[in-house]
Amino acid sequence: MTAVDRRSVLRAAALGAAAAAAAACGAKGPADRATPPTATPTRPTPVPGHPAGSGSAGAAGPTAALPAGLPFEVAAGPADRGRVALTFHGQGDPAIARAVLDEAAAGGARITVLAVGTWLDEQPQVARLILDGGHELGNHTLNHRAISGMSADAAYAEIAGCAERLQRLTGSPGRWFRPSQAQDCTARVADQARRAGYQHCLGYNLDSLDYTDPGPAAVQQTVLGRVGPGSIVSLHLGHQGTVAALPGILEGLQARSLQAVTATELFS
């Protein structure tokens, strides 16, 4: 089966409303069901200098320096650069993860995946696949438990456990930490993230609600109805509806002259 065929199968499955169960990343509020764009966008073109699967992010890629004075916790990027960051909860069926990466490559997007450590144990090859696609990996704790209510030592173990796996698999613990089952870092969690070596907590300001499996059209409507320059969007790897929604999201971003980049590129 070709990559195109595989994507078609996954889209069809999602349209059939197959509901995949997976934990949400953070506290959820009501979704903004704004009217979707009326323009008919065209398929995005690959980003110049970053062909799909190149594995080379270049000077402006995921390892680029961040600006001095960037706060520890960030939930949105600069609003004057025409960029957005699509960030993914890293867990779930590896076939779906590969399909998301295929769609990102086809649409010329680079994404940031906040990986769950136990998922890396089960699917170590996916970490390399993400980086080889020119994307970015970060830390989403070892077990994806409710970290905000943990003791300091338990929270540290969750963060350090995932960091160890990222380091072992990729040579780096990743730049970003995102708390599990919480949208923001509490002061205690922030202290433990710093203790584990992280200088920044990556929040988000646009929840796609894709983990509720509302269907691809609803996911697209939620994202495109609220997205703007500097948005950090929360998405999930483990849902087929997300795969089906991604082409339309990327087309809609391009229609707005918004480029999907990694979180590091959003701030660099």
Side-chain angles (χ1 to χ4, degrees):
M1 180 181 292
T2 66
V4 172
D5 290 337
R6 185 169 63 252
R7 290 200 296 276
S8 298
V9 169
L10 291 170
R11 288 175 188 155
L15 289 168
C25 282
K28 302 297 183 284
D32 183 349
R33 303 293 183 183
T35 303
T38 55
T40 301
T42 58
R43 188 71 173 177
T45 54
V47 178
H50 295 273
S54 67
S56 175
T63 59
L66 296 176
L70 188 69
F72 174 78
E73 183 156 4
V74 291
D80 59 351
R81 300 180 188 173
R83 296 176 175 180
V84 301
L86 303 182
T87 65
F88 287 79
H89 165 105
Q91 194 175 31
D93 186 337
I96 297 178
R98 290 188 179 92
V100 166
L101 297 176
D102 286 345
E103 293 294 357
R110 291 184 294 274
I111 64 175
T112 297
V113 176
L114 290 310
V116 175
T118 52
W119 182 67
L120 293 174
D121 286 341
E122 298 164 359
Q123 310 294 339
Q125 74 284 359
V126 182
R128 193 68 255 169
L129 194 63
I130 291 167
L131 295 182
D132 287 347
H135 309 295
E136 187 173 36
L137 263 175
N139 183 324
H140 200 27
T141 75
L142 180 59
N143 294 289
H144 199 261
R145 294 170 180 155
I147 196 168
S148 298
M150 292 181 176
S151 68
D153 285 344
Y156 174 76
E158 281 291 310
I159 301 168
C162 185
E164 185 277 328
R165 283 153 176 82
L166 287 167
Q167 180 74 46
R168 172 161 45 84
L169 290 172
T170 70
S172 167
R175 167 170 278 158
W176 304 102
F177 165 71
R178 175 171 286 174
S180 46
Q181 299 192 42
Q183 188 165 351
D184 306 303
C185 275
T186 64
R188 176 185 295 166
V189 171
D191 286 344
Q192 300 316 307
R194 292 189 180 94
R195 178 183 170 192
Y198 291 93
Q199 298 181 12
H200 298 286
C201 173
L202 183 64
Y204 54 89
N205 63 353
L206 202 171
D207 188 349
S208 71
L209 300 177
D210 61 342
Y211 68 95
T212 65
D213 293 318
V219 175
Q220 291 173 10
Q221 183 174 335
T222 298
V223 173
L224 296 178
R226 297 176 55 200
V227 73
S231 291
I232 298 178
V233 185
S234 172
L235 294 150
H236 293 71
L237 285 186
H239 294 257
Q240 292 174 333
T242 305
V243 179
L246 197 52
I249 290 172
L250 295 176
E251 290 163 5
L253 294 179
Q254 179 162 300
R256 292 163 168 76
S257 298
L258 294 173
Q259 182 183 7
V261 299
T262 67
T264 291
E265 290 170 311
L266 184 67
F267 292 98
S268 299

